[in-house]
Amino acid sequence: MHVLEMKNIRKSFGTVEVLKNISLNVEQGEVVAVIGPSGSGKSTLLRCATTLEQVDGGTIEICGRALVAESDGKVVFADKKDLAEIRAMFGLVFQNFNLFPHFSVRRNVTESLIHVRKIPRKEAEEIAGKLLSKMGLSDKADEYPCRLSGGQQQRVSIARALAANPQILFFDEPTSALDPELTGEILKVIRGLAEEKMTMVIVTHEMSFAREVADRIIFMDEGVIVEQGPAAEIINNPQEARTKAFLAGY
């Protein structure tokens, strides 16, 4: 089943065309890594898939439900009710954590469950407790983000994204804001999610991690998908000259 289906996605900022008629599918349980140079459109693609940016054209479906449709050349977005339901199907982990600094770790995880999903507080706190334990953060539940390392903050972000039991998780350069010694702990968490068959799309610059964890790698450059295929094949034996040039730097 296609968990994510994007067709003919177009996006411009002013006169700069950032995404040029991109199409891709992500299957249930699949891990897709998106790689490419800065400015290639990787993060914009992710932001369009999660409605943080509005596309200029094309269609997006999540679990078969239309997030964005196109009719007579016009983009039509899901109505407010459907949009809320579809958004609940995915989680997004940002590169800069985006935690609420004035909330405790526990409250960062429970806030949307209680106020958006309308889950009773006791149940939400039970969900948060299990996820924080899974992230190795049980002893940090009452701390505030400023008291945590970058790696710990990112693990809280992942717990928050998992709290709503999403069908797909999106990661936008999840280790780029971390010191090298903290990167490993986040990659370990993502590796564990992959082993659990969590459907994920990961924008990353960690090539060895992409080769190890991803089922498929998509290489983007200048707003288009240049090449895609099984992770090991793309990393070890790229076919396109632009892919080869990019990977030669790693």
Side-chain angles (χ1 to χ4, degrees), residues 45-82:
L45 182 68
L46 205 77
R47 292 175 67 83
C48 287
T50 56
T51 71
L52 293 177
E53 296 285 355
Q54 293 193 348
V55 301
D56 298 324
T59 64
I60 304 173
E61 291 187 1
I62 293 182
C63 297
R65 295 188 60 175
L67 183 63
V68 178
E70 193 167 18
S71 177
D72 297 326
K74 294 183 179 180
V75 173
V76 180
F77 292 86
D79 63 30
K80 186 175 180 180
K81 178 178 179 294
D82 286 343

PDB file of all heavy atoms in Angstrom, residues 45-82:
ATOM      1  N   LEU A  45      10.690  19.471  -0.461  1.00  0.00           N
ATOM      2  CA  LEU A  45       9.832  18.330  -0.767  1.00  0.00           C
ATOM      3  C   LEU A  45       9.177  17.793   0.501  1.00  0.00           C
ATOM      4  O   LEU A  45       7.970  17.515   0.536  1.00  0.00           O
ATOM      5  CB  LEU A  45      10.654  17.226  -1.443  1.00  0.00           C
ATOM      6  CG  LEU A  45       9.885  15.978  -1.873  1.00  0.00           C
ATOM      7  CD1 LEU A  45       8.919  16.301  -3.012  1.00  0.00           C
ATOM      8  CD2 LEU A  45      10.850  14.876  -2.303  1.00  0.00           C
ATOM      9  N   LEU A  46       9.967  17.686   1.558  1.00  0.00           N
ATOM     10  CA  LEU A  46       9.455  17.192   2.841  1.00  0.00           C
ATOM     11  C   LEU A  46       8.420  18.166   3.407  1.00  0.00           C
ATOM     12  O   LEU A  46       7.371  17.746   3.912  1.00  0.00           O
ATOM     13  CB  LEU A  46      10.615  17.031   3.819  1.00  0.00           C
ATOM     14  CG  LEU A  46      10.422  16.021   4.941  1.00  0.00           C
ATOM     15  CD1 LEU A  46      10.613  14.609   4.406  1.00  0.00           C
ATOM     16  CD2 LEU A  46      11.441  16.279   6.048  1.00  0.00           C
ATOM     17  N   ARG A  47       8.703  19.439   3.311  1.00  0.00           N
ATOM     18  CA  ARG A  47       7.788  20.448   3.837  1.00  0.00           C
ATOM     19  C   ARG A  47       6.481  20.485   3.053  1.00  0.00           C
ATOM     20  O   ARG A  47       5.414  20.726   3.622  1.00  0.00           O
ATOM     21  CB  ARG A  47       8.462  21.823   3.839  1.00  0.00           C
ATOM     22  CG  ARG A  47       9.611  21.935   4.846  1.00  0.00           C
ATOM     23  CD  ARG A  47      10.333  23.269   4.739  1.00  0.00           C
ATOM     24  NE  ARG A  47       9.479  24.374   5.139  1.00  0.00           N
ATOM     25  CZ  ARG A  47       9.284  24.763   6.381  1.00  0.00           C
ATOM     26  NH1 ARG A  47       9.894  24.132   7.381  1.00  0.00           N
ATOM     27  NH2 ARG A  47       8.492  25.781   6.671  1.00  0.00           N
ATOM     28  N   CYS A  48       6.547  20.199   1.768  1.00  0.00           N
ATOM     29  CA  CYS A  48       5.315  20.120   0.972  1.00  0.00           C
ATOM     30  C   CYS A  48       4.496  18.886   1.361  1.00  0.00           C
ATOM     31  O   CYS A  48       3.262  18.950   1.449  1.00  0.00           O
ATOM     32  CB  CYS A  48       5.651  20.078  -0.517  1.00  0.00           C
ATOM     33  SG  CYS A  48       6.221  21.660  -1.193  1.00  0.00           S
ATOM     34  N   ALA A  49       5.180  17.775   1.603  1.00  0.00           N
ATOM     35  CA  ALA A  49       4.481  16.537   1.978  1.00  0.00           C
ATOM     36  C   ALA A  49       3.776  16.671   3.314  1.00  0.00           C
ATOM     37  O   ALA A  49       2.782  15.981   3.567  1.00  0.00           O
ATOM     38  CB  ALA A  49       5.467  15.375   2.023  1.00  0.00           C
ATOM     39  N   THR A  50       4.276  17.569   4.175  1.00  0.00           N
ATOM     40  CA  THR A  50       3.709  17.723   5.517  1.00  0.00           C
ATOM     41  C   THR A  50       2.934  19.021   5.691  1.00  0.00           C
ATOM     42  O   THR A  50       2.622  19.408   6.809  1.00  0.00           O
ATOM     43  CB  THR A  50       4.826  17.659   6.572  1.00  0.00           C
ATOM     44  OG1 THR A  50       5.817  18.662   6.289  1.00  0.00           O
ATOM     45  CG2 THR A  50       5.496  16.293   6.568  1.00  0.00           C
ATOM     46  N   THR A  51       2.624  19.682   4.584  1.00  0.00           N
ATOM     47  CA  THR A  51       1.805  20.909   4.523  1.00  0.00           C
ATOM     48  C   THR A  51       2.459  22.127   5.168  1.00  0.00           C
ATOM     49  O   THR A  51       1.787  23.138   5.376  1.00  0.00           O
ATOM     50  CB  THR A  51       0.383  20.710   5.131  1.00  0.00           C
ATOM     51  OG1 THR A  51       0.468  20.568   6.555  1.00  0.00           O
ATOM     52  CG2 THR A  51      -0.307  19.497   4.529  1.00  0.00           C
ATOM     53  N   LEU A  52       3.742  22.066   5.477  1.00  0.00           N
ATOM     54  CA  LEU A  52       4.422  23.259   5.978  1.00  0.00           C
ATOM     55  C   LEU A  52       4.649  24.257   4.842  1.00  0.00           C
ATOM     56  O   LEU A  52       4.829  25.448   5.084  1.00  0.00           O
ATOM     57  CB  LEU A  52       5.759  22.884   6.624  1.00  0.00           C
ATOM     58  CG  LEU A  52       5.654  22.075   7.914  1.00  0.00           C
ATOM     59  CD1 LEU A  52       7.035  21.690   8.415  1.00  0.00           C
ATOM     60  CD2 LEU A  52       4.906  22.863   8.996  1.00  0.00           C
ATOM     61  N   GLU A  53       4.661  23.750   3.624  1.00  0.00           N
ATOM     62  CA  GLU A  53       4.677  24.593   2.429  1.00  0.00           C
ATOM     63  C   GLU A  53       3.528  24.148   1.534  1.00  0.00           C
ATOM     64  O   GLU A  53       3.186  22.969   1.501  1.00  0.00           O
ATOM     65  CB  GLU A  53       5.992  24.456   1.644  1.00  0.00           C
ATOM     66  CG  GLU A  53       7.229  24.914   2.381  1.00  0.00           C
ATOM     67  CD  GLU A  53       7.355  26.419   2.478  1.00  0.00           C
ATOM     68  OE1 GLU A  53       6.517  27.139   1.882  1.00  0.00           O
ATOM     69  OE2 GLU A  53       8.281  26.887   3.155  1.00  0.00           O
ATOM     70  N   GLN A  54       2.922  25.089   0.852  1.00  0.00           N
ATOM     71  CA  GLN A  54       1.850  24.761  -0.080  1.00  0.00           C
ATOM     72  C   GLN A  54       2.412  24.604  -1.485  1.00  0.00           C
ATOM     73  O   GLN A  54       3.139  25.476  -1.962  1.00  0.00           O
ATOM     74  CB  GLN A  54       0.761  25.848  -0.059  1.00  0.00           C
ATOM     75  CG  GLN A  54       0.009  25.912   1.256  1.00  0.00           C
ATOM     76  CD  GLN A  54      -1.261  26.750   1.152  1.00  0.00           C
ATOM     77  OE1 GLN A  54      -1.483  27.451   0.180  1.00  0.00           O
ATOM     78  NE2 GLN A  54      -2.095  26.667   2.169  1.00  0.00           N
ATOM     79  N   VAL A  55       2.070  23.493  -2.107  1.00  0.00           N
ATOM     80  CA  VAL A  55       2.569  23.244  -3.467  1.00  0.00           C
ATOM     81  C   VAL A  55       1.864  24.168  -4.458  1.00  0.00           C
ATOM     82  O   VAL A  55       0.763  24.668  -4.202  1.00  0.00           O
ATOM     83  CB  VAL A  55       2.358  21.766  -3.877  1.00  0.00           C
ATOM     84  CG1 VAL A  55       3.070  20.830  -2.915  1.00  0.00           C
ATOM     85  CG2 VAL A  55       0.867  21.429  -3.954  1.00  0.00           C
ATOM     86  N   ASP A  56       2.520  24.382  -5.583  1.00  0.00           N
ATOM     87  CA  ASP A  56       1.921  25.170  -6.668  1.00  0.00           C
ATOM     88  C   ASP A  56       1.175  24.290  -7.660  1.00  0.00           C
ATOM     89  O   ASP A  56       0.360  24.775  -8.441  1.00  0.00           O
ATOM     90  CB  ASP A  56       3.008  25.953  -7.410  1.00  0.00           C
ATOM     91  CG  ASP A  56       3.726  26.948  -6.509  1.00  0.00           C
ATOM     92  OD1 ASP A  56       3.070  27.538  -5.638  1.00  0.00           O
ATOM     93  OD2 ASP A  56       4.947  27.109  -6.678  1.00  0.00           O
ATOM     94  N   GLY A  57       1.474  22.987  -7.611  1.00  0.00           N
ATOM     95  CA  GLY A  57       0.803  22.057  -8.502  1.00  0.00           C
ATOM     96  C   GLY A  57       1.115  20.636  -8.115  1.00  0.00           C
ATOM     97  O   GLY A  57       2.099  20.365  -7.426  1.00  0.00           O
ATOM     98  N   GLY A  58       0.246  19.714  -8.550  1.00  0.00           N
ATOM     99  CA  GLY A  58       0.451  18.306  -8.236  1.00  0.00           C
ATOM    100  C   GLY A  58      -0.515  17.793  -7.193  1.00  0.00           C
ATOM    101  O   GLY A  58      -1.398  18.522  -6.715  1.00  0.00           O
ATOM    102  N   THR A  59      -0.378  16.508  -6.862  1.00  0.00           N
ATOM    103  CA  THR A  59      -1.281  15.873  -5.898  1.00  0.00           C
ATOM    104  C   THR A  59      -0.476  15.141  -4.828  1.00  0.00           C
ATOM    105  O   THR A  59       0.625  14.653  -5.090  1.00  0.00           O
ATOM    106  CB  THR A  59      -2.225  14.869  -6.587  1.00  0.00           C
ATOM    107  OG1 THR A  59      -1.451  13.799  -7.155  1.00  0.00           O
ATOM    108  CG2 THR A  59      -3.031  15.542  -7.689  1.00  0.00           C
ATOM    109  N   ILE A  60      -1.043  15.086  -3.627  1.00  0.00           N
ATOM    110  CA  ILE A  60      -0.430  14.373  -2.513  1.00  0.00           C
ATOM    111  C   ILE A  60      -1.504  13.553  -1.814  1.00  0.00           C
ATOM    112  O   ILE A  60      -2.562  14.090  -1.460  1.00  0.00           O
ATOM    113  CB  ILE A  60       0.213  15.325  -1.481  1.00  0.00           C
ATOM    114  CG1 ILE A  60       1.248  16.236  -2.147  1.00  0.00           C
ATOM    115  CG2 ILE A  60       0.857  14.528  -0.345  1.00  0.00           C
ATOM    116  CD1 ILE A  60       1.793  17.310  -1.214  1.00  0.00           C
ATOM    117  N   GLU A  61      -1.238  12.258  -1.643  1.00  0.00           N
ATOM    118  CA  GLU A  61      -2.136  11.394  -0.876  1.00  0.00           C
ATOM    119  C   GLU A  61      -1.346  10.714   0.228  1.00  0.00           C
ATOM    120  O   GLU A  61      -0.204  10.292   0.020  1.00  0.00           O
ATOM    121  CB  GLU A  61      -2.772  10.323  -1.765  1.00  0.00           C
ATOM    122  CG  GLU A  61      -3.777  10.867  -2.764  1.00  0.00           C
ATOM    123  CD  GLU A  61      -4.505   9.761  -3.515  1.00  0.00           C
ATOM    124  OE1 GLU A  61      -4.224   8.568  -3.238  1.00  0.00           O
ATOM    125  OE2 GLU A  61      -5.341  10.089  -4.374  1.00  0.00           O
ATOM    126  N   ILE A  62      -1.969  10.605   1.397  1.00  0.00           N
ATOM    127  CA  ILE A  62      -1.395   9.861   2.516  1.00  0.00           C
ATOM    128  C   ILE A  62      -2.394   8.792   2.923  1.00  0.00           C
ATOM    129  O   ILE A  62      -3.561   9.101   3.202  1.00  0.00           O
ATOM    130  CB  ILE A  62      -1.051  10.787   3.697  1.00  0.00           C
ATOM    131  CG1 ILE A  62       0.093  11.727   3.294  1.00  0.00           C
ATOM    132  CG2 ILE A  62      -0.665   9.971   4.935  1.00  0.00           C
ATOM    133  CD1 ILE A  62       0.571  12.657   4.376  1.00  0.00           C
ATOM    134  N   CYS A  63      -1.944   7.543   2.851  1.00  0.00           N
ATOM    135  CA  CYS A  63      -2.817   6.396   3.142  1.00  0.00           C
ATOM    136  C   CYS A  63      -4.093   6.455   2.303  1.00  0.00           C
ATOM    137  O   CYS A  63      -5.190   6.151   2.802  1.00  0.00           O
ATOM    138  CB  CYS A  63      -3.133   6.324   4.635  1.00  0.00           C
ATOM    139  SG  CYS A  63      -1.698   6.050   5.673  1.00  0.00           S
ATOM    140  N   GLY A  64      -3.940   6.862   1.058  1.00  0.00           N
ATOM    141  CA  GLY A  64      -5.072   6.881   0.140  1.00  0.00           C
ATOM    142  C   GLY A  64      -5.998   8.067   0.265  1.00  0.00           C
ATOM    143  O   GLY A  64      -6.970   8.174  -0.493  1.00  0.00           O
ATOM    144  N   ARG A  65      -5.706   8.967   1.179  1.00  0.00           N
ATOM    145  CA  ARG A  65      -6.567  10.135   1.370  1.00  0.00           C
ATOM    146  C   ARG A  65      -5.899  11.366   0.763  1.00  0.00           C
ATOM    147  O   ARG A  65      -4.712  11.604   0.956  1.00  0.00           O
ATOM    148  CB  ARG A  65      -6.858  10.352   2.848  1.00  0.00           C
ATOM    149  CG  ARG A  65      -7.668   9.209   3.448  1.00  0.00           C
ATOM    150  CD  ARG A  65      -8.107   9.514   4.851  1.00  0.00           C
ATOM    151  NE  ARG A  65      -8.945  10.699   4.938  1.00  0.00           N
ATOM    152  CZ  ARG A  65      -9.531  11.111   6.071  1.00  0.00           C
ATOM    153  NH1 ARG A  65      -9.348  10.428   7.186  1.00  0.00           N
ATOM    154  NH2 ARG A  65     -10.263  12.208   6.087  1.00  0.00           N
ATOM    155  N   ALA A  66      -6.688  12.137   0.051  1.00  0.00           N
ATOM    156  CA  ALA A  66      -6.153  13.283  -0.686  1.00  0.00           C
ATOM    157  C   ALA A  66      -5.849  14.446   0.242  1.00  0.00           C
ATOM    158  O   ALA A  66      -6.757  15.049   0.837  1.00  0.00           O
ATOM    159  CB  ALA A  66      -7.132  13.710  -1.758  1.00  0.00           C
ATOM    160  N   LEU A  67      -4.571  14.751   0.357  1.00  0.00           N
ATOM    161  CA  LEU A  67      -4.140  15.937   1.100  1.00  0.00           C
ATOM    162  C   LEU A  67      -4.179  17.150   0.179  1.00  0.00           C
ATOM    163  O   LEU A  67      -4.626  18.235   0.557  1.00  0.00           O
ATOM    164  CB  LEU A  67      -2.723  15.711   1.625  1.00  0.00           C
ATOM    165  CG  LEU A  67      -2.091  16.784   2.500  1.00  0.00           C
ATOM    166  CD1 LEU A  67      -2.887  16.957   3.783  1.00  0.00           C
ATOM    167  CD2 LEU A  67      -0.648  16.413   2.831  1.00  0.00           C
ATOM    168  N   VAL A  68      -3.720  16.927  -1.043  1.00  0.00           N
ATOM    169  CA  VAL A  68      -3.729  17.968  -2.072  1.00  0.00           C
ATOM    170  C   VAL A  68      -4.191  17.328  -3.375  1.00  0.00           C
ATOM    171  O   VAL A  68      -3.700  16.266  -3.760  1.00  0.00           O
ATOM    172  CB  VAL A  68      -2.323  18.570  -2.275  1.00  0.00           C
ATOM    173  CG1 VAL A  68      -2.354  19.619  -3.388  1.00  0.00           C
ATOM    174  CG2 VAL A  68      -1.784  19.170  -0.992  1.00  0.00           C
ATOM    175  N   ALA A  69      -5.135  17.965  -4.047  1.00  0.00           N
ATOM    176  CA  ALA A  69      -5.594  17.510  -5.353  1.00  0.00           C
ATOM    177  C   ALA A  69      -5.404  18.647  -6.352  1.00  0.00           C
ATOM    178  O   ALA A  69      -5.131  19.784  -5.978  1.00  0.00           O
ATOM    179  CB  ALA A  69      -7.057  17.083  -5.289  1.00  0.00           C
ATOM    180  N   GLU A  70      -5.563  18.327  -7.632  1.00  0.00           N
ATOM    181  CA  GLU A  70      -5.448  19.350  -8.674  1.00  0.00           C
ATOM    182  C   GLU A  70      -6.621  19.195  -9.615  1.00  0.00           C
ATOM    183  O   GLU A  70      -6.889  18.095 -10.120  1.00  0.00           O
ATOM    184  CB  GLU A  70      -4.120  19.208  -9.419  1.00  0.00           C
ATOM    185  CG  GLU A  70      -3.781  20.400 -10.289  1.00  0.00           C
ATOM    186  CD  GLU A  70      -2.331  20.381 -10.770  1.00  0.00           C
ATOM    187  OE1 GLU A  70      -1.693  19.311 -10.715  1.00  0.00           O
ATOM    188  OE2 GLU A  70      -1.849  21.437 -11.210  1.00  0.00           O
ATOM    189  N   SER A  71      -7.328  20.288  -9.820  1.00  0.00           N
ATOM    190  CA  SER A  71      -8.511  20.254 -10.673  1.00  0.00           C
ATOM    191  C   SER A  71      -8.492  21.468 -11.597  1.00  0.00           C
ATOM    192  O   SER A  71      -8.403  22.614 -11.129  1.00  0.00           O
ATOM    193  CB  SER A  71      -9.782  20.264  -9.813  1.00  0.00           C
ATOM    194  OG  SER A  71     -10.942  20.293 -10.623  1.00  0.00           O
ATOM    195  N   ASP A  72      -8.558  21.206 -12.910  1.00  0.00           N
ATOM    196  CA  ASP A  72      -8.541  22.278 -13.912  1.00  0.00           C
ATOM    197  C   ASP A  72      -7.365  23.221 -13.713  1.00  0.00           C
ATOM    198  O   ASP A  72      -7.488  24.455 -13.824  1.00  0.00           O
ATOM    199  CB  ASP A  72      -9.855  23.070 -13.871  1.00  0.00           C
ATOM    200  CG  ASP A  72     -11.058  22.217 -14.223  1.00  0.00           C
ATOM    201  OD1 ASP A  72     -10.903  21.312 -15.078  1.00  0.00           O
ATOM    202  OD2 ASP A  72     -12.132  22.435 -13.641  1.00  0.00           O
ATOM    203  N   GLY A  73      -6.222  22.622 -13.363  1.00  0.00           N
ATOM    204  CA  GLY A  73      -5.010  23.424 -13.191  1.00  0.00           C
ATOM    205  C   GLY A  73      -4.912  24.158 -11.874  1.00  0.00           C
ATOM    206  O   GLY A  73      -3.948  24.894 -11.644  1.00  0.00           O
ATOM    207  N   LYS A  74      -5.899  23.960 -10.999  1.00  0.00           N
ATOM    208  CA  LYS A  74      -5.888  24.632  -9.699  1.00  0.00           C
ATOM    209  C   LYS A  74      -5.624  23.628  -8.580  1.00  0.00           C
ATOM    210  O   LYS A  74      -6.125  22.497  -8.629  1.00  0.00           O
ATOM    211  CB  LYS A  74      -7.222  25.342  -9.454  1.00  0.00           C
ATOM    212  CG  LYS A  74      -7.487  26.498 -10.406  1.00  0.00           C
ATOM    213  CD  LYS A  74      -8.799  27.194 -10.064  1.00  0.00           C
ATOM    214  CE  LYS A  74      -9.050  28.370 -11.001  1.00  0.00           C
ATOM    215  NZ  LYS A  74     -10.329  29.059 -10.675  1.00  0.00           N
ATOM    216  N   VAL A  75      -4.851  24.043  -7.594  1.00  0.00           N
ATOM    217  CA  VAL A  75      -4.545  23.192  -6.445  1.00  0.00           C
ATOM    218  C   VAL A  75      -5.684  23.294  -5.437  1.00  0.00           C
ATOM    219  O   VAL A  75      -6.129  24.387  -5.080  1.00  0.00           O
ATOM    220  CB  VAL A  75      -3.222  23.627  -5.787  1.00  0.00           C
ATOM    221  CG1 VAL A  75      -2.984  22.849  -4.496  1.00  0.00           C
ATOM    222  CG2 VAL A  75      -2.059  23.413  -6.745  1.00  0.00           C
ATOM    223  N   VAL A  76      -6.167  22.138  -4.983  1.00  0.00           N
ATOM    224  CA  VAL A  76      -7.264  22.084  -4.014  1.00  0.00           C
ATOM    225  C   VAL A  76      -6.774  21.319  -2.785  1.00  0.00           C
ATOM    226  O   VAL A  76      -6.373  20.153  -2.891  1.00  0.00           O
ATOM    227  CB  VAL A  76      -8.512  21.388  -4.611  1.00  0.00           C
ATOM    228  CG1 VAL A  76      -9.634  21.351  -3.572  1.00  0.00           C
ATOM    229  CG2 VAL A  76      -8.960  22.088  -5.885  1.00  0.00           C
ATOM    230  N   PHE A  77      -6.817  21.956  -1.637  1.00  0.00           N
ATOM    231  CA  PHE A  77      -6.373  21.329  -0.406  1.00  0.00           C
ATOM    232  C   PHE A  77      -7.555  20.713   0.336  1.00  0.00           C
ATOM    233  O   PHE A  77      -8.692  21.150   0.190  1.00  0.00           O
ATOM    234  CB  PHE A  77      -5.664  22.349   0.495  1.00  0.00           C
ATOM    235  CG  PHE A  77      -4.347  22.813  -0.063  1.00  0.00           C
ATOM    236  CD1 PHE A  77      -4.295  23.868  -0.958  1.00  0.00           C
ATOM    237  CD2 PHE A  77      -3.163  22.186   0.281  1.00  0.00           C
ATOM    238  CE1 PHE A  77      -3.096  24.294  -1.497  1.00  0.00           C
ATOM    239  CE2 PHE A  77      -1.956  22.596  -0.246  1.00  0.00           C
ATOM    240  CZ  PHE A  77      -1.914  23.652  -1.140  1.00  0.00           C
ATOM    241  N   ALA A  78      -7.268  19.690   1.129  1.00  0.00           N
ATOM    242  CA  ALA A  78      -8.307  19.041   1.932  1.00  0.00           C
ATOM    243  C   ALA A  78      -8.971  20.070   2.840  1.00  0.00           C
ATOM    244  O   ALA A  78      -8.336  21.046   3.262  1.00  0.00           O
ATOM    245  CB  ALA A  78      -7.694  17.914   2.757  1.00  0.00           C
ATOM    246  N   ASP A  79     -10.254  19.850   3.127  1.00  0.00           N
ATOM    247  CA  ASP A  79     -10.934  20.790   4.020  1.00  0.00           C
ATOM    248  C   ASP A  79     -10.406  20.642   5.448  1.00  0.00           C
ATOM    249  O   ASP A  79      -9.615  19.737   5.745  1.00  0.00           O
ATOM    250  CB  ASP A  79     -12.452  20.615   3.971  1.00  0.00           C
ATOM    251  CG  ASP A  79     -12.931  19.244   4.445  1.00  0.00           C
ATOM    252  OD1 ASP A  79     -12.267  18.634   5.311  1.00  0.00           O
ATOM    253  OD2 ASP A  79     -13.964  18.776   3.935  1.00  0.00           O
ATOM    254  N   LYS A  80     -10.808  21.523   6.307  1.00  0.00           N
ATOM    255  CA  LYS A  80     -10.230  21.614   7.650  1.00  0.00           C
ATOM    256  C   LYS A  80     -10.333  20.300   8.418  1.00  0.00           C
ATOM    257  O   LYS A  80      -9.377  19.865   9.052  1.00  0.00           O
ATOM    258  CB  LYS A  80     -10.918  22.738   8.438  1.00  0.00           C
ATOM    259  CG  LYS A  80     -10.294  23.024   9.789  1.00  0.00           C
ATOM    260  CD  LYS A  80     -10.964  24.228  10.451  1.00  0.00           C
ATOM    261  CE  LYS A  80     -10.332  24.514  11.803  1.00  0.00           C
ATOM    262  NZ  LYS A  80     -10.975  25.696  12.467  1.00  0.00           N
ATOM    263  N   LYS A  81     -11.489  19.651   8.346  1.00  0.00           N
ATOM    264  CA  LYS A  81     -11.695  18.398   9.084  1.00  0.00           C
ATOM    265  C   LYS A  81     -10.802  17.293   8.530  1.00  0.00           C
ATOM    266  O   LYS A  81     -10.116  16.593   9.286  1.00  0.00           O
ATOM    267  CB  LYS A  81     -13.156  17.981   9.000  1.00  0.00           C
ATOM    268  CG  LYS A  81     -13.475  16.658   9.704  1.00  0.00           C
ATOM    269  CD  LYS A  81     -14.963  16.356   9.619  1.00  0.00           C
ATOM    270  CE  LYS A  81     -15.306  15.028  10.280  1.00  0.00           C
ATOM    271  NZ  LYS A  81     -14.706  13.876   9.569  1.00  0.00           N
ATOM    272  N   ASP A  82     -10.821  17.136   7.212  1.00  0.00           N
ATOM    273  CA  ASP A  82      -9.993  16.092   6.593  1.00  0.00           C
ATOM    274  C   ASP A  82      -8.508  16.376   6.803  1.00  0.00           C
ATOM    275  O   ASP A  82      -7.715  15.457   7.033  1.00  0.00           O
ATOM    276  CB  ASP A  82     -10.291  16.001   5.097  1.00  0.00           C
ATOM    277  CG  ASP A  82     -11.622  15.331   4.801  1.00  0.00           C
ATOM    278  OD1 ASP A  82     -12.156  14.661   5.713  1.00  0.00           O
ATOM    279  OD2 ASP A  82     -12.129  15.473   3.675  1.00  0.00           O
TER     280      ASP A  82
END
